[in-house]
């Protein structure tokens, strides 16, 4: 992990672990895991869990595994497995061991047989609907299935035949025999195995029965000698089941499950199911669309791993669910890019400026610093020539109050270059401004003009040296802070979440950027080069974030 991250603040999980280490629990080891289900791409909520699990392990000379919880083959795929690995590594973490819950299918099966032999699991022929009715409610105890008293021998036989494929999907389930009157509904004889004839991306057609999540998760943790099994709050009520299974099996390792609050981020969605819907219904252009809160989307938008880690540290860790403002995430990336992104010039909506007193074929290679506070980021050459392009709205014939840019007859400084004065405004037949005729003051390169003050500074590019570019300005994907509260979250999609500017120009030095290079386009915002969508003759840049909170320029 990089060393210049925000220092770790104390939180309740760090305290628990510090105490365990003090007591020499688990022989002083800390082993965690990040256990995604490969049914979608990782999102910013997962980043919180990744930073926590890998971070806690790293801080304590421990280990963290990556484990795919692949027990729902219908929704899972290898594409997701690969994307998840890529994203974890990109965030800056290296797993100690890579596992799949499906690697444990045989072991899980043996453990289930053991539970049957111990008389604490049985094969039930109730239908899913009947099981639901028998389960009871929060205020009403459940009812025992008639199959609950089936003999051990018969249970063993039926379970073996479930595996052998003798029964139809749904005909039987294996259930734990716990307590149908438990106040915790998760303890009312939960299902452990179901029959499902689906192809699994790793085990193919080897199995027609699949273990349930709760059963699989605790055993997988125990097999891997996990010491602290960190998960989100919705699993709090599942902890008794987690402990029950391991107690019954007397596994040598019994990890401690600790729950923390999920990340909920305003103006977006952190649910793989809903993100999947956005992708499949084409409300966005794929999982890595820069508007998506996925790691892949944030990456494509230009977020850095450091900014995401910094965000996860800043939001802290509690047991209370709360909403985090999008501004916090934006603050983190802005801070990183302000420090580290080289500056460059890009013109969104070009206006031609002809400098009449500059020689026709003269070109000056001006040396311009890449970062105002960091000379170590070096300098680049920015060509200056007779015809340059400036931003249309950096010129006003009739300037509003406090307008500090170029006006008819007025002067302005070109960033890193000369002061120019506008002498004439050329318009087409409809009165649109199509060109400015200006003059430059040759005595103003790197120094103030003599005898007068020029306050405004604008960005520009040399027309003949600049490159055509498409700039994509992204905004929040949703119009409301909490789209989950809407009847249909799709109704809350922001119709203006993407504005595409197709006639932009970027400076000469950006002829061939490295994929994912990030820049501060002076006075405009932070942008990231999109190698995936760029083609010869058109460079594509995605806006990561505006320069300031309100998105206004100076
Ligand atoms: P989703 O509902 O988006 O599918 P999930 O919890 O089902 O989320 P998993 O792939 O099972 O997704 O999650 C892997 C790990 O990431 C789990 O330990 C889970 O608790 C954690 N996680 C998922 N979402 C969040 C979140 N919003 N904040 C913090 N941790 C999360
Ligand atoms: Mg899940």
């Amino acid at each position: 992990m990089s060393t210049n991250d925000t220092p770790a603040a104390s939180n309740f999980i760090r305290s628990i672990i510090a105490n365990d280490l003090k007591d020499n629990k688990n022989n002083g080891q800390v082993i965690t895991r990040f256990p995604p289900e490969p049914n979608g791409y990782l999102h910013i909520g997962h980043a919180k869990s990744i930073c926590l699990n890998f971070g806690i392990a790293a801080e304590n000379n421990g280990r963290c595994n990556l484990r795919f919880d692949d027990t729902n083959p219908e929704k899972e795929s290898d594409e997701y497995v690969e994307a998840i690995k890529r994203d974890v590594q990109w965030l800056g973490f290296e797993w100690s061991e890579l596992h799949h819950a499906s690697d444990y299918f045989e072991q899980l099966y043996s453990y289930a047989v053991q539970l049957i032999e111990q008389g604490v699991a049985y094969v039930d022929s109730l239908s899913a609907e009947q099981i639901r009715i028998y389960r009871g409610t929060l205020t009403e105890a459940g009812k025992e299935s008639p199959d609950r008293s089936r003999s051990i021998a018969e249970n063993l036989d039926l379970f073996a035949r479930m595996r052998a494929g003798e029964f139809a999907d749904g005909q039987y389930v294996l259930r734990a025999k716990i307590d149908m009157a438990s106040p915790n509904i998760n303890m009312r004889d939960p299902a452990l195995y179901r029959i499902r004839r689906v192809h699994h991306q790793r085990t193919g057609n080897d199995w027609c029965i699949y273990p349930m999540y709760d059963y699989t998760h605790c055993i997988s943790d125990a097999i891997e000698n996990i010491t602290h099994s960190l998960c989100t709050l919705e699993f709090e009520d599942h902890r008794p089941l987690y402990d029950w299974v391991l107690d019954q099996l007397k596994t040598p390792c019994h990890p401690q499950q600790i729950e923390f609050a999920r990340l909920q981020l305003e103006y977006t969605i952190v649910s793989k199911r809903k993100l999947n819907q956005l992708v499949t219904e084409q409300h966005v252009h794929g999982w890595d669309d820069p508007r998506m809160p996925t790691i892949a989307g944030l990456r494509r938008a230009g977020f850095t791993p450091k900014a995401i880690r910094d965000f996860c540290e800043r939001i802290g860790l509690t047991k209370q669910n709360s909403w985090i403002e999008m501004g916090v995430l934006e603050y983190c990336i802005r801070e990183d890019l302000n420090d580290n992104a080289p500056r460059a010039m890009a013109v969104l909506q070009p206006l031609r400026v002809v400098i009449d007193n500059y020689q026709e074929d003269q070109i000056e290679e001006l040396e311009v610093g890449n970062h105002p506070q960091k000379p170590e980021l070096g300098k680049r050459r920015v060509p200056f020539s007779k015809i340059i392009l400036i931003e249309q709205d950096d010129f006003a014939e009739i300037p509003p109050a406090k307008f500090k840019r170029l006006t008819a007859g007025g002067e302005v400084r070109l960033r890193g270059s000369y002061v120019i004065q506008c002498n004439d405004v050329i318009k087409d037949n409809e009165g649109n401004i199509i060109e400015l005729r200006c003059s430059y003051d040759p005595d103003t390169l790197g120094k103030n003009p003599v005898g007068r003050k020029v306050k405004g500074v604008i960005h520009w590019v040399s027309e003949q040296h600049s490159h055509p570019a498409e700039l994509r300005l992204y905004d929040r994907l949703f119009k409301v802070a909490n789209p989950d509260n809407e009847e249909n979250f799709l109704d809350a999609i922001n119709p203006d979440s993407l504005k595409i500017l197709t006639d932009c120009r970027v400076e000469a030095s950006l002829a061939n950027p490295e994929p994912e290079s990030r820049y501060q386009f002076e006075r405009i915002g932070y942008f990231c080069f999109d190698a995936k969508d760029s083609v010869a003759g058109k460079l594509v840049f995605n806006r990561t974030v505006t320069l300031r909170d309100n998105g206004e320029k100076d």
Side-chain angles (χ1 to χ4, degrees):
M1 218 176 112
S2 110
T3 48
N4 53 353
D5 279 9
T6 309
S10 96
N11 62 48
F12 78 99
I13 294 186
R14 284 191 174 120
S15 307
I16 293 174
I17 289 180
N19 277 329
D20 287 351
L21 288 174
K22 206 170 69 206
D23 299 343
N24 203 33
K25 209 173 147 187
N26 310 308
N27 298 319
Q29 291 202 86
V30 176
I31 308 174
T32 57
R33 85 288 170 265
F34 172 64
E37 187 184 347
N39 61 350
Y41 279 57
L42 298 179
H43 51 61
I44 184 75
H46 292 112
K48 176 176 176 177
S49 176
I50 293 170
C51 291
L52 173 66
N53 279 293
F54 283 91
I56 288 271
E59 285 159 35
N60 295 289
N61 290 318
R63 293 185 270 130
C64 180
N65 294 346
L66 173 61
R67 183 199 321 135
F68 291 100
D69 243 321
D70 52 352
T71 55
N72 266 318
E74 298 95 327
K75 294 185 185 146
E76 298 165 1
S77 80
D78 217 40
E79 180 201 344
Y80 297 141
V81 168
E82 291 310 313
I84 290 171
K85 290 200 261 185
R86 196 162 57 230
D87 289 348
V88 171
Q89 286 177 322
W90 179 76
L91 277 174
F93 299 106
E94 216 29 85
W95 48 85
S96 167
E97 297 165 16
L98 177 69
H99 293 290
H100 296 79
S102 55
D103 296 340
Y104 308 136
F105 279 174
E106 197 61 56
Q107 235 167 322
L108 289 160
Y109 180 82
S110 309
Y111 276 131
V113 170
Q114 187 182 329
L115 292 178
I116 297 172
E117 285 168 343
Q118 290 172 212
V120 292
Y122 61 99
V123 174
D124 196 352
S125 60
L126 289 185
S127 68
E129 175 62 8
Q130 285 170 316
I131 287 181
R132 199 182 56 72
I133 295 166
Y134 273 60
R135 192 176 292 129
T137 63
L138 284 174
T139 52
E140 226 178 303
K143 212 166 68 177
E144 294 187 355
S145 162
D147 289 349
R148 203 172 196 262
S149 52
R150 204 192 284 284
S151 73
I152 290 176
E154 203 182 335
N155 281 321
L156 286 172
D157 175 60
L158 284 173
F159 189 50
R161 290 163 61 194
M162 278 171 66
R163 175 180 184 169
E166 288 188 27
F167 308 121
D169 287 14
Q171 196 176 339
Y172 288 107
V173 287
L174 181 73
R175 298 178 73 179
K177 193 191 281 189
I178 311 181
D179 178 5
M180 287 308 290
S182 171
N184 182 342
I185 293 185
N186 295 303
M187 299 299 273
R188 295 184 186 169
D189 291 10
L192 304 178
Y193 268 88
R194 65 225 192 279
I195 304 174
R196 195 153 294 181
R197 281 176 179 74
V198 268
H199 181 90
H200 188 285
Q201 78 271 14
R202 299 191 79 242
T203 59
N205 296 324
D206 290 353
W207 294 86
C208 63
I209 56 171
Y210 289 100
M212 303 299 289
Y213 176 86
D214 280 333
Y215 173 72
T216 308
H217 195 77
C218 54
I219 295 177
S220 306
D221 279 350
I223 292 173
E224 292 175 22
N225 288 312
I226 301 303
T227 56
H228 299 85
S229 177
L230 313 177
C231 62
T232 35
L233 278 181
E234 70 272 21
F235 290 103
E236 197 164 21
D237 290 344
H238 297 236
R239 183 167 10 109
L241 179 55
Y242 185 104
D243 290 331
W244 182 90
V245 172
L246 298 185
D247 285 341
Q248 293 300 322
L249 295 170
K250 300 194 175 53
T251 50
C253 165
H254 189 135
Q256 179 184 1
Q257 175 176 312
I258 308 171
E259 308 85 16
F260 62 93
R262 288 178 91 82
L263 166 66
Q264 306 177 105
L265 188 60
E266 288 184 347
Y267 293 98
T268 189
I269 290 264
V270 280
S271 146
K272 273 181 288 183
R273 186 178 60 76
K274 288 181 179 167
L275 294 175
N276 196 344
Q277 199 178 341
L278 291 174
V279 173
T280 49
E281 294 178 11
Q282 301 184 2
H283 301 287
V284 293
H285 307 303
W287 284 99
D288 66 349
D289 186 303
R291 289 166 292 184
M292 290 280 272
T294 50
I295 308 294
L298 291 166
R299 175 176 180 174
R300 198 160 170 208
F303 278 70
T304 60
K306 179 176 183 296
I308 296 175
R309 291 195 304 259
D310 183 27
F311 169 76
C312 292
E313 189 57 42
R314 255 168 215 281
I315 55 176
L317 201 69
T318 66
K319 270 194 172 286
Q320 268 82 48
N321 280 319
S322 65
W323 286 87
I324 305 291
E325 287 174 29
M326 188 58 107
V328 181
L329 182 59
E330 290 170 352
Y331 172 86
C332 292
I333 185 60
R334 212 175 263 131
E335 195 180 58
D336 187 10
L337 295 179
N338 183 37
D339 276 356
N340 299 307
R343 275 43 175 172
M345 290 195 280
V347 176
L348 303 184
Q349 285 165 312
L351 172 60
R352 241 169 91 99
V353 172
V354 179
I355 301 172
D356 286 318
N357 60 342
Y358 202 80
Q359 268 182 32
E360 196 73 45
D361 40 11
Q362 193 184 341
I363 295 160
E364 267 173 280
E365 296 283 351
L366 306 174
E367 288 223 313
V368 180
N370 286 330
H371 195 290
Q373 284 90 39
K374 289 192 164 174
E376 66 271 24
L377 289 188
K379 289 183 174 178
R380 66 193 190 280
R381 289 173 177 278
V382 178
F384 183 75
S385 64
K386 189 176 178 71
I387 300 175
I388 63 167
L389 303 171
I390 66 168
E391 212 65 75
Q392 282 172 20
D393 64 8
D394 277 339
F395 174 77
E397 216 176 356
I398 305 160
K402 295 194 186 150
F403 189 80
K404 285 207 224 101
R405 298 168 254 165
L406 190 59
T407 58
E411 281 185 300
V412 78
R413 175 174 290 282
L414 300 174
R415 174 82 90 208
S417 175
Y418 298 97
V419 168
I420 57 167
Q421 178 168 33
C422 174
N423 304 318
D424 205 359
V425 181
I426 315 293
K427 296 179 182 170
D428 64 13
N429 291 338
E430 276 121 52
N432 301 309
I433 300 172
I434 50 169
E435 191 176 288
L436 302 179
R437 308 300 292 221
C438 294
S439 54
Y440 84 115
D441 180 342
D443 209 23
T444 54
L445 188 61
K447 51 184 167 173
N448 288 326
V450 178
R452 62 203 197 276
K453 276 213 166 89
V454 176
K455 281 207 190 122
V457 183
I458 63 172
H459 58 274
W460 57 280
V461 296
S462 160
E463 185 185 57
Q464 59 168 306
H465 300 96
S466 65
H467 308 290
E470 174 174 309
L471 266 54
R472 299 179 179 171
L473 310 186
Y474 294 99
D475 205 339
R476 293 169 178 181
L477 189 49
F478 291 95
K479 294 180 287 194
V480 300
N482 184 356
D484 276 320
N485 276 355
E486 305 296 300
E487 203 167 309
N488 179 355
F489 77 103
L490 297 173
D491 294 339
I493 290 181
N494 173 10
D496 304 316
S497 61
L498 170 57
K499 190 168 155 193
I500 300 180
L501 300 174
T502 51
D503 298 317
C504 313
R505 291 288 187 137
V506 295
E507 67 170 60
S509 73
L510 301 190
N512 198 6
E514 288 290 314
E516 300 183 8
S517 328
R518 306 175 184 93
Y519 303 93
Q520 184 197 93
F521 287 157
E522 302 237 24
R523 302 176 62 237
I524 292 180
Y526 294 100
F527 283 79
C528 182
F529 178 58
D530 193 321
K532 194 169 161 184
D533 280 1
S534 294
V535 290
K538 181 155 277 184
L539 303 162
V540 174
F541 294 87
N542 297 322
R543 184 169 71 190
T544 315
V545 68
T546 53
L547 283 185
R548 269 173 275 282
D549 239 350
N550 55 14
E552 282 171 13
K553 54 184 189 176
D554 55 6

